[in-house]
Amino acid sequence: MIRFDSVSKHYPDGTIAVDSLDLVAPSGQITVFVGPSGCGKTTSLRMINRMIEPTSGTVWLDDRDTSTIATHELRRQIGYVIQHAGLFPHRTILDNIATVPLLLGWDRRKARARSRELLERVGLPAHFAERYPAQLSGGQQQRVGVARALAADPPVMLMDEPFSAVDPIARDQLQEEFLRLQGELGKTIVFVTHDIDEAIKLGDQVAVLRVGGRLAQLAAPAQLLSEPADAFVASFVGRDRGYRALGFTPAHKLVLHDEPTIRVGSSLAGAEAADGWLLAVDEQGAPQGWLRLAGPGSGGAGAAGTVTEDLLHRGGTVAGAEASLRAALDACLSSPSGRGVVVDSDGRLAGTVTAPEVLTLIEQQRMSSDQPSARPVAGGDR
Ligand code: ADP
Ligand code: MG
């Protein structure tokens, strides 16, 4: 556990970077600091490992006042990951990861073995070991940064915008893998970002800071969306928050309807659908897209020929077996037939739902005491 007890940081030029921060980052959880540029996120983070000393107040690590712990001892317990990974350019990836274990006096063989294990853990191929940082993409370098921070197995990890500089697709992957890794490791993590969506996706709890280093709200992500503490938090959390909050409610209570289907590659002869839209599936029963059957003035598929890929409307999203209400509603809204496609864990069609049915369930849950879960359900942000 990390505890900020009335912690402030004032700079000599009069800047108040952090103003009387009180906050607990519980053990084994991810606490995210989020807020606009200059609101004191980095300063707060660095006061934990004493790269910056507070002007007043105390940062506690479990039951110890960090100002009484020698910095080298403190930092041995705290991994640190920054935006551009900060790798040593002239050292191989393996040597980069082994940096801290070697500093701690581990023998070389053990340090290298540990580093190879971590390379795999963060999802990089073994042959990257002998490469140099410049030979890796930004996202891959960030993985190495994470591996390096984990090398000495510190109980605490500080991460300062570790995924901000990589492209959106790589960022999404890094976030997923980070959550998977944390599921295995259960570190006490303080994670800084300026991106509210990242905060909501990753945080067990989210601390929203405002410029001047003041804590505006500390809450679980779902609560931040549903009950922003004030106008600043509401505007920072942003638009669509009602919709985004649905990402925290599982859709498993939805009753699915059987949906008639047609195989891609099969004959169109005799195909019909009440409303003109027929769902096409592949050999395994995985939905491929919607087929518009010929109707008056529809310009759709004729009554002859076969179902080919290029006849399919592919605009609809597909909600997975573990989907959230957000994913289910999006499947409905994006489907040309108005029927949202839900698949099982193997990607096969499970059935369809309609938007009114999802809305009815939302309304039922609002009336009942069902609490949203603390973390987005799988696929909840899609
Ligand atoms: P964030 O990480 O949220 O963008 P920082 O913690 O880096 O913000 O900075 C908080 C505030 O403190 C900013 O206004 C910044 O300009 C100021 N600041 C940071 N370092 C110094 C310094 N060494 N001297 C004066 N002001 C500083
Ligand atoms: Mg910063």
Side-chain angles (χ1 to χ4, degrees), residues 36-43 45-46 83 160-161 192-194:
S37 176
C39 70
K41 304 180 294 292
T42 295
T43 306
L45 194 73
R46 290 183 170 193
Q83 190 170 102
D160 195 349
E161 310 225 13
V192 162
T193 180
H194 62 268

Side-chain angles (χ1 to χ4, degrees), residues 154 165 191 228 255 258 262 287 322 329 334 336:
F191 188 109
V255 178
D258 286 336
I262 192 164
E322 305 288 313
L329 186 56
S334 63

Side-chain angles (χ1 to χ4, degrees), residues 365-376:
Q365 301 205 335
R366 191 181 65 79
M367 310 279 280
S368 77
S369 57
D370 271 9
Q371 288 301 308
S373 58
R375 204 189 270 297

Side-chain angles (χ1 to χ4, degrees), residues 261-285:
T261 58
I262 192 164
R263 281 273 177 83
V264 173
S266 68
S267 166
L268 271 162
E272 42 182 280
D275 66 344
W277 287 107
L278 191 55
L279 185 64
V281 296
D282 69 6
E283 301 281 302
Q284 283 74 45

Side-chain angles (χ1 to χ4, degrees), residues 23 65 104 155 185 234 340:
L23 174 145
D65 173 347
L104 294 177
L185 302 177

